[in-house]
């Protein structure tokens, strides 16, 4: 799930111009934490992953 979300976040940035800072604010983490997560240093827990999945869905529409 986390790898799927990482790809989706990168696609949002590339295709829609949404910044990582915005995404970090939406899921209530520090921007640096989001960068570390994107690099695969750790995985989000189930609650945060579900929140991110919901935000990705909303931003795609």
């Amino acid at each position: 799930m986390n790898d799927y979300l990482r790809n989706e976040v990168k696609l949002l940035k590339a295709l829609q111009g949404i910044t990582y800072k915005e995404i970090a604010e939406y899921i209530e983490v520090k921007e640096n934490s989001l960068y570390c997560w994107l690099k695969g240093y750790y995985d989000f827990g189930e609650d945060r992953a579900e929140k991110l999945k919901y935000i990705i869905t909303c931003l795609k529409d």
Side-chain angles (χ1 to χ4, degrees), residues 8-23 26 59-60:
E8 290 296 310
V9 167
K10 290 174 185 175
L11 284 173
L12 277 177
K13 179 171 174 46
L15 300 177
Q16 296 188 10
I18 297 171
T19 66
Y20 291 145
K21 182 177 182 177
E22 288 176 283
I23 294 169
Y26 289 140
L59 292 173
K60 277 184 167 182

Side-chain angles (χ1 to χ4, degrees), residues 16-56:
Q16 296 188 10
I18 297 171
T19 66
Y20 291 145
K21 182 177 182 177
E22 288 176 283
I23 294 169
E25 289 173 358
Y26 289 140
I27 60 172
E28 300 172 353
V29 298
K30 294 179 181 176
E31 189 176 0
N32 189 52
S33 296
L34 183 67
Y35 281 113
C36 289
W37 173 78
L38 283 169
K39 292 179 183 177
Y41 294 158
Y42 68 93
D43 288 338
F44 284 149
E46 188 175 325
D47 291 341
R48 189 157 326 254
E50 286 298 321
K51 186 174 185 177
L52 179 56
K53 185 177 177 184
Y54 173 76
I55 289 166
I56 289 169

